[in-house]
Amino acid sequence: MNALLLTAVLGVIMMFSSILLTSKASVRNIAIFGLIIVLVSNVLEMSGTVFFRIDTKGMIAFDRFALLFNSIVFASTLIYFLLSARDIEKVGIHYGEYFALIFFVLCGVTISSSFRSLLMLFLGIEIISIPLYILTGSDKRNLKSNEASLKYFLLGAFSTGLMLMGIALVYGATGTFYTVVTNGTNSALFIAGMLLLMFSMAFKVSAAPFHFWTPDVYDGAPAVFTSFMATIVKVAGFIAFIRLFNDEFGTMQPTWQLLIALITAITLFIGNITAVFQQSVKRMLAYSSISQAGFMMMAIYAMNSDAKEGLLLYSAAYCLATIGIFAVLIKLKDYSFDGFNAFARQQPLLAAVVTIFLLSLAGIPLTAGFLSKFYMLKAILETGKYLWLVIFAVMMAVVSVYYYFRVIQAMYFKEGNGQIVEVSIAFKWTLVALAGIIILLGIFPNLIIYWLYF
């Protein structure tokens, strides 16, 4: 509850900051300092210190799983601010409003991670989505940004309609919006509502075949906001997804498990195979996010302790690596693979940390990405079914190595003058620290998982 109220208040504060403050540095510092307060208050709530107590009638419950996930999200967003906050001011003149929208998204994330009522699920998802429509089209001078925003809004509205219809059918079958139900779970209405909610949530996390909006929206949006959308927002969707299917539809797991397995396989195939043929690193990362969604879908399929632990670790590993890559990509003028030619000669330190981020996304050992993928595969093996999905996932992971290594090849082995990139010492050392965290989590995953049971 601490983080929920603080993010909402900070969103309002940031709306007025650009009016009351003339210095963009002051606006940026308020956002960073405010996020630190949110992170600290959320960690304190994990230890039992609650500043705000509100009777939510059981519609929201902040258990340890939700609080730990929120801490990962806030820490990742803090790193995003430290690396990319200066680049946000290049998008447009509404600097404070951009931060306000991001804080409102974080408010929706806290609701989505802790809902106990389908109404709160709907509110959480919409509070996340509506600011994103605005952020996607924030570069008004760019027609691709305007097109991406319109496409995202129209398709997002369609998926919202599916969600509302699914909620209505579930309510018709059970007579309640609460997620713990005991009656009506075998009716046709309930099953139809479950399918609609599944399709709607699959759209939100860009799982195939509901992924078609992702490449155009991620490519058209300003890169600094694509970084936020492809990481924080995506993993928030998965936490809501796993909570919904664990609490509301957990007793029907044999009914929907095969369908989730098929969606997972299709997502892995489309995301990885299509990424191979991309000529833009930014668009490749969009398809990469789809393939990463395929691995995270395994947690929905397995729904056991390894799946939940793996999803938390995957959230941290994926967010940190992708935010780091985008932070460097934003500094480049050319987003193509050729834009990285001979990058290691001009910026050897940046090239080294980008290599670590790419290795983590590819699932190479000694990185957090390797262990997070391992947890997902282990979770499926523990179910004792669908061994083919594990084999197929490993094959797709091998395919992903190819397009990630294309960037590494361009940086170290391609000829070129290299793009002139000017970055601060603080930016470089933040990236080095981020790469160190990814390696540390790859060796000691209990640094995160321990807090789930402490």
Side-chain angles (χ1 to χ4, degrees):
M1 190 60 69
N2 292 351
L4 175 61
L5 295 178
L6 285 174
T7 50
V9 171
L10 281 167
V12 176
I13 291 174
M14 296 311 300
M15 288 174 63
F16 290 97
S17 64
S18 59
I19 301 174
L20 302 177
L21 301 173
T22 57
S23 170
K24 290 185 176 180
S26 300
V27 174
R28 182 168 59 249
N29 291 335
I30 290 174
I32 293 173
F33 182 68
L35 189 56
I36 292 174
I37 293 176
V38 172
L39 176 58
V40 171
S41 69
N42 193 77
V43 172
L44 288 175
E45 189 167 355
M46 290 178 64
S47 62
T49 305
V50 181
F51 299 131
F52 311 101
R53 297 187 182 276
I54 300 175
D55 184 10
T56 61
K57 306 299 182 182
M59 292 191 294
I60 297 178
F62 290 92
D63 57 15
R64 198 157 194 84
F65 181 73
L67 291 172
L68 180 55
F69 169 76
N70 290 342
S71 296
I72 293 172
V73 164
F74 298 143
S76 300
T77 308
L78 178 60
I79 292 172
Y80 167 74
F81 279 177
L82 293 174
L83 290 173
S84 304
R86 293 180 182 273
D87 298 297
I88 294 177
E89 68 181 80
K90 299 175 184 178
V91 177
I93 60 174
H94 306 288
Y95 194 45
E97 286 85 343
Y98 297 147
F99 285 110
L101 292 171
I102 290 173
F103 275 111
F104 287 138
V105 170
L106 294 179
C107 181
V109 169
T110 58
I111 295 174
S112 299
S113 67
S114 55
F115 70 92
R116 289 295 184 274
S117 166
L118 295 178
L119 292 179
M120 297 309 297
L121 168 65
F122 170 73
L123 287 177
I125 293 296
E126 288 309 293
I127 292 173
I128 292 173
S129 300
I130 293 173
L132 291 179
Y133 303 149
I134 303 170
L135 292 175
T136 302
S138 56
D139 188 0
K140 298 178 182 179
R141 299 159 295 182
N142 189 340
L143 290 178
K144 288 181 66 176
S145 178
N146 295 332
E147 178 189 348
S149 179
L150 180 61
K151 183 177 293 186
Y152 193 16
F153 171 72
L154 293 176
L155 295 176
F158 177 74
S159 74
T160 298
L162 291 181
M163 176 177 288
L164 284 174
M165 180 59 72
I167 291 173
L169 293 178
V170 170
Y171 178 79
T174 62
T176 180
F177 288 113
Y178 287 92
T179 54
V180 180
V181 295
T182 57
N183 62 303
T185 56
N186 293 322
S187 66
L189 276 180
F190 190 79
I191 295 174
M194 176 197 70
L195 291 175
L196 289 175
L197 283 168
M198 179 190 297
F199 298 153
S200 176
M201 293 304 300
F203 176 92
K204 299 299 182 184
V205 300
S206 59
F210 310 96
H211 69 288
F212 42 83
W213 61 275
T214 309
D216 291 339
V217 171
Y218 284 10
D219 190 34
V224 68
F225 295 137
T226 303
S227 174
F228 182 73
M229 293 165 58
T231 53
I232 308 301
V233 175
K234 182 180 286 290
V235 298
F238 274 104
I239 294 297
F241 207 153
I242 196 171
R243 186 171 289 285
L244 173 66
F245 272 70
N246 182 66
D247 296 348
E248 182 82 32
F249 307 121
T251 57
M252 300 180 63
Q253 188 173 8
T255 304
W256 50 258
Q257 204 167 28
L258 176 59
L259 184 55
I260 290 291
L262 293 174
I263 291 176
T264 301
I266 296 170
T267 304
L268 287 168
F269 180 79
I270 292 178
N272 284 291
I273 298 302
T274 315
V276 169
F277 300 99
Q278 302 306 309
Q279 299 305 315
S280 164
V281 174
K282 186 181 180 185
R283 200 168 180 87
M284 179 273 285
L285 290 172
Y287 281 103
S288 162
S289 74
I290 296 173
S291 69
Q292 301 290 343
F295 268 96
M296 286 187 271
M297 284 294 296
M298 295 180 185
I300 314 298
Y301 162 81
M303 204 70 73
N304 51 34
S305 59
D306 277 330
K308 293 180 179 179
E309 293 173 3
L311 187 57
L312 290 171
L313 183 60
Y314 211 115
S315 297
Y318 170 68
C319 286
L320 296 180
T322 306
I323 287 172
I325 293 172
F326 268 103
V328 176
L329 185 66
I330 293 165
K331 304 297 182 181
L332 303 178
K333 296 179 181 179
D334 185 358
Y335 291 164
S336 69
F337 284 91
D338 291 339
F340 281 88
N341 286 354
F343 185 65
R345 297 178 188 175
Q346 201 256 334
Q347 288 286 358
L349 183 60
L350 293 186
V353 295
V354 168
T355 300
I356 293 174
F357 299 147
L358 290 167
L359 293 177
S360 181
L361 290 177
I364 303 301
L366 296 183
T367 64
F370 169 76
L371 275 182
S372 57
K373 285 181 169 61
F374 173 79
Y375 267 88
M376 293 302 182
L377 297 174
K378 182 184 175 186
I380 292 182
L381 289 173
E382 283 200 352
T383 64
K385 297 191 297 184
Y386 304 149
L387 179 62
W388 61 267
L389 184 58
V390 175
I391 297 172
F392 185 75
V394 172
M395 292 171 58
M396 291 296 101
V398 173
V399 172
S400 73
V401 172
Y402 170 76
Y403 55 81
Y404 289 131
F405 271 66
R406 283 184 65 190
V407 181
I408 299 174
Q409 181 188 27
M411 290 192 297
Y412 286 96
F413 303 109
K414 290 287 185 72
E415 295 296 329
N417 296 325
Q419 297 191 57
I420 303 301
V421 179
E422 299 295 336
V423 295
S424 65
I425 296 297
F427 180 85
K428 289 183 178 180
W429 284 112
T430 304
L431 282 176
V432 169
L434 188 56
I437 293 172
I438 288 175
I439 294 175
L440 195 62
L441 290 177
I443 301 173
F444 304 106
N446 282 337
L447 290 175
I448 287 180
I449 296 172
Y450 167 80
W451 294 100
L452 187 58
Y453 306 104
F454 174 71

